């Protein structure tokens, strides 16, 4: 396993749509392991492959409460097949938009179809923080950031702030 660098706004790759995984093999399993290590080191509760500049439809999440055993989940080629009409709001953040948090409304429950690290077909119904995290990471795979769910004014402010930070950092 290896910790990878996380790309940050305004990196244009964050807007790239990720390609499906054709075959779940050792390369994909290594990617999942590296992503988990990177996510835990950040620290975060979710990470999409595009956030480490790999445009593949792979994400990892772990929403286990602090002080409880980890519950890592590697999700390959996820697809939301159902979402509730009920909405919930969470104060979201993103490893690619460090130190910025805003309340985002999303469906309270979702059903996600995906492949696991062995290539087996799975379906998971999630609610609460797990549902929010899965939707956030699936958005990444589609080139969508959580700030896209905010007003244009808030989104523009955040983008300008990160563009200025990138200029000062010489990126």
């Amino acid at each position: 396993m290896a910790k990878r660098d996380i790309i940050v706004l305004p990196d244009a790759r964050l807007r790239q749509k990720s390609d499906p995984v054709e075959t779940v093999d050792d390369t994909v399993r290594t990617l999942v392991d590296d992503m988990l290590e990177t996510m835990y080191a950040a620290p975060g509760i979710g990470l999409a492959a595009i956030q480490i500049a790999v445009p593949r439809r792979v994400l990892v999440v772990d929403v286990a409460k602090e002080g409880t055993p980890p519950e890592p989940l590697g999700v390959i080629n996820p697809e939301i097949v159902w979402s509730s009409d009920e909405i919930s709001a969470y104060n979201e953040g993103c490893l690619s938009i460090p130190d910025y948090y805003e309340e985002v409304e999303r469906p309270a429950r979702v059903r996600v179809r995906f492949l696991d690290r062995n290539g087996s077909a799975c379906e998971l119904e999630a609610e609460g923080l797990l549902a929010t995290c899965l939707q956030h990471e699936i958005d990444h795979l589609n080139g969508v950031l959580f700030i896209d769910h905010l007003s244009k004014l808030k989104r523009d402010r955040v983008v300008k702030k990160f563009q200025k930070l990138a200029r000062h950092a010489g990126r």
Side-chain angles (χ1 to χ4, degrees), residues 72-83:
L73 179 63
V75 178
I76 301 159
N77 294 339
E79 174 189 1
I80 295 173
V81 294
W82 173 84
S83 58

Side-chain angles (χ1 to χ4, degrees), residues 2-8 13 38 47 49-54 96:
K3 184 176 168 289
R4 310 256 194 118
D5 291 332
I6 297 172
I7 60 176
V8 297
R13 292 173 290 185
T38 302
L47 186 71
I50 194 63
Q51 291 179 270
I52 57 168
V54 178
S96 292

Side-chain angles (χ1 to χ4, degrees), residues 7 33 55 81-82 86 96 103 123 130 132 169:
I7 60 176
D33 293 341
V81 294
W82 173 84
E86 180 189 352
S96 292
E103 190 169 277
E123 200 166 284
L130 179 58
T132 296

Side-chain angles (χ1 to χ4, degrees), residues 26-38:
D26 286 342
T27 303
V28 173
R29 285 186 278 278
T30 298
L31 175 62
V32 168
D33 293 341
D34 289 355
M35 289 172 62
L36 285 167
E37 183 172 331
T38 302

Side-chain angles (χ1 to χ4, degrees), residues 34-136:
D34 289 355
M35 289 172 62
L36 285 167
E37 183 172 331
T38 302
M39 179 189 74
Y40 288 133
I45 61 170
L47 186 71
I50 194 63
Q51 291 179 270
I52 57 168
V54 178
R56 308 283 304 280
R57 294 191 69 80
V58 178
L59 64 87
V60 295
V61 297
D62 188 342
V63 296
K65 294 197 181 334
E66 199 170 322
T68 64
E71 296 176 15
L73 179 63
V75 178
I76 301 159
N77 294 339
E79 174 189 1
I80 295 173
V81 294
W82 173 84
S83 58
S84 67
D85 292 332
E86 180 189 352
I87 300 296
S88 67
Y90 273 92
N91 200 33
E92 292 188 30
C94 181
L95 296 175
S96 292
I97 309 173
D99 303 318
Y100 181 78
Y101 303 90
E102 277 292 343
E103 190 169 277
V104 175
E105 292 184 346
R106 297 182 185 271
R109 293 185 322 277
V110 293
R111 187 175 307 120
V112 179
R113 190 174 294 142
F114 63 97
L115 301 175
D116 67 11
R117 65 179 294 120
N118 299 314
S120 300
C122 300
E123 200 166 284
L124 170 70
E125 190 157 323
E127 63 184 356
L129 182 59
L130 179 58
T132 296
C133 189
L134 285 166
Q135 291 172 82
H136 176 114

Side-chain angles (χ1 to χ4, degrees), residues 9-36:
L9 195 69
D11 194 309
R13 292 173 290 185
L14 291 169
R15 296 298 188 174
Q16 184 176 351
K17 288 192 177 188
S18 298
D19 297 322
V21 171
E22 299 299 325
T23 306
V24 178
D25 55 17
D26 286 342
T27 303
V28 173
R29 285 186 278 278
T30 298
L31 175 62
V32 168
D33 293 341
D34 289 355
M35 289 172 62
L36 285 167

